[in-house]
Amino acid sequence: MRTSFTRLAGAAMVALTLAGCAGTSGIVDRFGGQSSDDLLRQAQQQQGGEAATTRLQAAEILQRQGNNTRALEVANDLDRSVLPADQQLRWALLTSRAALDLQEPQAVLEATAILDSNVAMPDNERNTLLERRGLAQAMNNQPMEAALTLTALQQRTGDTQLNDTIWRQLNRLDPGQLDQLAGQGSVAAGWVELARLQRQQGANISTLTDAISRWQSNNSRHPASRRLPTDLSTLDEIRDQEIRKIAVFLPQSGSLESIATAIREGIQTRADDVRSQGEQVPELVFYDTTGQDLESLYARATMEGAQAVIGPLSKEQVSQLETRDGVALPTLALNYGTHDHNSARNLFQYGLSAEDEARQAAQRAQLDGHHRAGVMVPDNEWGSRVLSAFQKSWQQDGGDLVSVQSYDPSASATSSVKSVVNGGRGRPDMLFLLALPGYARQVPPTLDYYDAADLPIYATSHVYEGSPQPRMDHDLNDVMFVDIPWLIPEAAAGGSDALPFESTRERLIQDDQPALIKLHAMGVDAFELARRLPVMSAIGGFELYGATGRLAPGQDGRIVRTLPWAVFRNGQPTLP
C-alpha cells in the first residue's frame, strides 16, 4: 500500500498489536545445531516435502533472528502444496507475522487464506490468524472487511486490544455498511450503535460524552464499554473547548464571489437545518475578505469572540497562512496552498481537489491488479497538476507509467486515444482519464476502434455531469469514476435516505446545477468540520463521512477526501 496516512496508520496499528509478541534478546538462532544457511544448502540436496520442510525450518530461524525480509523470501520460495497440514499452519503463522512487520498486507491475506481451508488448527492459532487478517485488511484500505473480521474475532475472544483498530475502521464506513455490520452479532451491533452516536453528536463534545456514558451503562459487558477506544477516551479532556462562535472569511465581490456565495449558502443551510432539529449550533459571523488583510480579519474575529474560522477561500491567502508557525484561531481554510507542506499549527485545509481523485484512482487501479498505466489529461495547468498527483501515487506503489497524452480539449479524441494505446512504452493495462463529459464520451468508442475495448478506464468525477442522462452517457458504459455522495446516492450509500446530511441536501438540491450542488455540499461539510475542530485536533483517527466524501486530516492538516466509486451501466451511475 501507499506510504501515506493509511500506511502510517497501518504501521502504528501493527506495532501496537504485535508489541506484546516481540521476541526476547536471547534469540535462538540454531535449529538442531544448524544455521539457516546450513539448512538452505541441505534443502538443495533434497526433494519434495523433505526440501520444503527444511526450507520452512530455515525461514523460522531467520524470523527469530529478526530478518523478516529474508524469512519471507525463503517461505515464499518453498512448495507449500507438499507440506503436511501442521507445517502449512506453521508456514501461515510465519508468513503472516513477517508480512505484517514489513507492512505487506497482500502477503498477509494470502497467508491467512488457510483459514478458509480444511486445515485443523487450535483456537489460539486460528484467532491469531484472524487478527492478522483483520489488520491486513485495514492496512489494505478494506475497512468493511476489516470490521467484519475483527468484530467477529472479538465476539469470540472479548479482546479489548482490538478496540482502537475496530474503531478506526468503523469511522470509514458509510451508513449502509454500518447497517450491514450491525447484523453480524451483538459485539458488532454495539460498535455500530457507538459509531452512530459519534456521528450524530460528534459536533457537541459535552452531549457526545454524556451519550457515550449512557451507552457504557447500557452495554457494560461490551469490549468497548470496558475499554473505550483511545479517540473517545480523550474527549473528556476537551469538553471546555466547545465551539460556540465561528468567523467565516469569504469574499463578497471579485472573481471568487459566485463560488463564495454557493459555499455560504451551504454553510447557512446546514446550520439552520441542525438548529431546526433542536441541536445547539455555533453562531456564524461573516467577514468580507475582499481587499482585507488577514491579520486584521483575525484580530477582529478574536476581539468579537470567535473560537474558530472557516476560510479564507483564495489559494493565495491559504498559501500565506501555511508558511506561518501557526494561526491566531483554529482555522479550516477552503482551499489548498501551493507549498509542499502546511507548517502552520491549527490550520486545516479543505477543498474539492481533483488531485485527491487522481490519487484515489491510482490506488484503486493497483488494488484491482493493474501495473501499467496510460494517462489522458488536458494540456493545461489543471491537467499538469492532476497528472503529477496520479503519477506520484502510482509510481510510489511500484506502478509503471507507460503512456501519457496531454490532449487538446477542443479537438477530437481520436489521435490522443490512438497514441495512449499504441504510442508509449508498450500497451497499458488501465487508463486514467481526466476529462469533461463531452470529451470523455468519445474515448470508449475510440478505444473499441483501436482494438482496446477491454482496457479498464478509471476517471475523476468530471466525466459525470451530475444527473443521469442515459442516452448521452451510454458510450461511457463500464467507465469507473468517483464522485461526491450527494451526486451518486445509489452508488454511494444505497439511496438518498442513507446519505450524510440528507435533510440538508433536500433543502439545497432543488433544480441545482451539479457544480452548484458540489459547492453547496462543500459548505455543508465545511460547517461540520469547523464545529469539530477541537475533536480533529485532539484525536488521531478523526474521519467525517460527509456530503463530499469521507474526510480525514492528513499529517499536516490538509484534509484528504475519499470518494465513493460508481460505474456507468446503461448510461447511468451504479454500484461497481
Side-chain angles (χ1 to χ4, degrees):
M1 285 298 295
R2 58 196 183 280
T3 51
S4 65
F5 176 80
T6 301
R7 180 113 184 197
L8 292 169
M13 192 165 52
V14 171
L16 287 171
T17 306
L18 298 184
C21 305
T24 64
S25 58
I27 294 174
V28 178
D29 60 0
R30 306 295 247 193
F31 189 95
Q34 292 178 290
S35 69
S36 58
D37 288 339
D38 292 337
L39 289 168
L40 289 173
R41 282 192 291 270
Q42 179 179 321
Q44 291 178 346
Q45 311 304 316
Q46 298 170 332
Q47 294 182 343
E50 188 179 22
T53 297
T54 303
R55 288 191 173 93
L56 178 60
Q57 293 169 356
E60 289 172 331
I61 290 174
L62 289 164
Q63 186 177 56
R64 288 197 294 272
Q65 293 172 334
N67 191 348
N68 282 313
T69 300
R70 181 64 178 139
L72 199 58
E73 290 175 356
V74 172
N76 285 334
D77 195 40
L78 61 84
D79 183 359
R80 304 197 308 270
S81 66
V82 298
L83 290 174
D86 65 323
Q87 292 184 18
Q88 288 187 28
L89 177 58
R90 281 167 52 193
W91 179 90
L93 289 165
L94 178 152
T95 304
S96 61
R97 171 63 190 271
L100 265 186
D101 282 343
L102 295 170
Q103 297 182 55
E104 297 184 13
Q106 196 58 43
V108 180
L109 297 177
E110 292 170 6
T112 57
I114 194 173
L115 290 164
D116 307 318
S117 71
N118 295 323
V119 173
M121 63 187 75
D123 284 346
N124 284 345
E125 278 79 0
R126 179 174 295 277
N127 292 342
T128 295
L129 290 171
L130 280 169
E131 180 176 355
R132 292 175 184 174
R133 172 182 280 182
L135 291 171
Q137 288 166 333
M139 292 175 64
N140 209 31
N141 200 28
Q142 298 174 278
M144 184 60 181
E145 291 82 354
L148 287 167
T149 300
L150 295 176
T151 55
L153 174 60
Q154 199 172 58
Q155 184 83 44
R156 292 160 54 101
T157 66
D159 183 5
T160 61
Q161 296 300 313
L162 301 173
N163 286 4
D164 283 351
T165 304
I166 290 173
W167 183 247
R168 298 288 172 86
Q169 307 319 303
L170 293 175
N171 285 336
R172 304 175 66 197
L173 302 183
D174 64 41
Q177 290 173 315
L178 286 178
D179 290 343
Q180 181 183 344
L181 182 62
Q184 303 303 309
S186 60
V187 168
W191 275 115
V192 169
E193 185 182 351
L194 188 60
R196 287 175 175 152
L197 279 178
Q198 192 269 344
R199 292 189 184 188
Q200 294 163 3
Q201 309 291 344
N204 190 311
I205 300 169
S206 57
T207 302
L208 175 58
T209 53
D210 290 344
I212 291 171
S213 295
R214 289 193 296 273
W215 179 89
Q216 287 181 284
S217 298
N218 296 332
N219 298 270
S220 58
R221 294 188 177 183
H222 193 279
S225 180
R226 291 186 280 118
R227 177 181 173 271
L228 277 176
T230 303
D231 291 345
L232 295 183
S233 64
T234 60
L235 291 175
D236 274 332
E237 302 172 11
I238 58 172
R239 284 182 73 116
D240 61 346
Q241 297 180 30
E242 200 83 53
I243 299 229
R244 294 182 173 84
K245 190 170 187 177
I246 298 175
V248 185
F249 294 171
L250 286 173
Q252 295 179 15
S253 60
S255 60
L256 296 176
E257 179 186 1
S258 60
I259 294 174
T261 298
I263 292 173
R264 175 173 179 157
E265 288 171 352
I267 293 172
Q268 290 178 309
T269 303
R270 179 58 187 163
D272 290 343
D273 190 22
V274 174
R275 189 180 296 108
S276 71
Q277 296 172 28
E279 289 188 44
Q280 186 177 20
V281 297
E283 177 188 356
L284 296 170
V285 181
F286 291 84
Y287 297 80
D288 184 5
T289 60
T290 308
Q292 295 295 311
D293 175 82
L294 283 173
E295 282 75 12
S296 299
L297 289 170
Y298 272 105
R300 283 180 54 201
T302 302
M303 184 174 61
E304 294 172 9
Q307 296 158 297
V309 171
I310 296 176
L313 177 61
S314 156
K315 184 177 283 288
E316 180 184 358
Q317 289 181 316
V318 178
S319 299
Q320 292 174 20
L321 291 178
E322 70 180 355
T323 60
R324 302 179 179 184
D325 292 334
V327 287
L329 293 169
T331 298
L332 180 75
L334 297 176
N335 211 327
Y336 297 96
T338 57
H339 299 92
D340 291 336
H341 183 77
N342 170 31
S343 59
R345 295 185 312 276
N346 291 324
L347 175 63
F348 295 87
Q349 301 178 21
Y350 161 63
L352 304 183
S353 165
E355 288 91 328
D356 276 345
E357 300 180 23
R359 286 184 283 266
Q360 191 175 339
Q363 293 151 14
R364 175 63 184 259
Q366 290 191 325
L367 284 175
D368 288 346
H370 302 299
H371 305 287
R372 297 168 57 80
V375 174
M376 292 180 64
V377 296
D379 57 356
N380 51 34
E381 190 269 339
W382 179 51
S384 296
R385 285 192 289 108
V386 175
L387 169 61
S388 177
F390 177 88
Q391 182 174 2
K392 183 176 180 180
S393 179
W394 182 258
Q395 292 181 334
Q396 74 181 8
D397 286 342
D400 188 9
L401 196 62
V402 299
S403 181
V404 175
Q405 286 299 310
S406 296
Y407 64 83
D408 178 357
S410 64
S412 165
T414 303
S415 62
S416 293
V417 170
K418 179 181 179 181
S419 296
V420 81
V421 172
N422 299 319
R425 295 182 297 100
R427 199 174 182 92
D429 62 9
M430 62 81 63
L431 174 65
F432 170 64
L433 177 64
L434 175 68
L436 298 177
Y439 191 92
R441 292 178 186 124
Q442 302 176 54
V443 174
T446 311
L447 286 172
D448 293 353
Y449 180 80
Y450 288 112
D451 298 321
D454 59 347
L455 187 67
I457 301 174
Y458 296 80
T460 64
S461 61
H462 307 87
V463 301
Y464 181 50
E465 288 190 354
S467 59
Q469 300 181 81
R471 294 182 62 185
M472 293 185 67
D473 288 338
H474 71 277
D475 281 335
L476 291 172
N477 282 346
D478 298 326
V479 172
M480 290 185 61
F481 69 101
V482 290
D483 212 330
I484 70 169
W486 274 17
L487 285 179
I488 50 170
E490 297 301 330
S496 59
D497 290 344
L499 285 174
F501 317 134
E502 168 57 14
S503 60
T504 309
R505 177 177 179 267
E506 287 298 317
R507 293 186 178 204
L508 285 166
I509 205 167
Q510 300 172 2
D511 300 322
D512 272 356
Q513 295 297 316
L516 200 57
I517 295 172
K518 288 188 177 183
L519 292 172
H520 281 161
M522 181 179 170
V524 168
D525 283 353
F527 174 77
E528 291 295 337
L529 287 169
R531 64 189 189 130
R532 289 169 169 81
L533 281 173
V535 178
M536 287 170 60
S537 299
I539 65 177
F542 175 89
E543 295 200 17
L544 175 71
Y545 183 66
T548 61
R550 195 173 70 241
L551 310 172
Q555 286 189 308
D556 68 348
R558 288 174 173 163
I559 303 296
V560 177
R561 211 167 44 103
T562 303
L563 301 175
W565 282 97
V567 62
F568 283 102
R569 292 195 180 97
N570 298 319
Q572 298 191 69
T574 62
L575 279 168

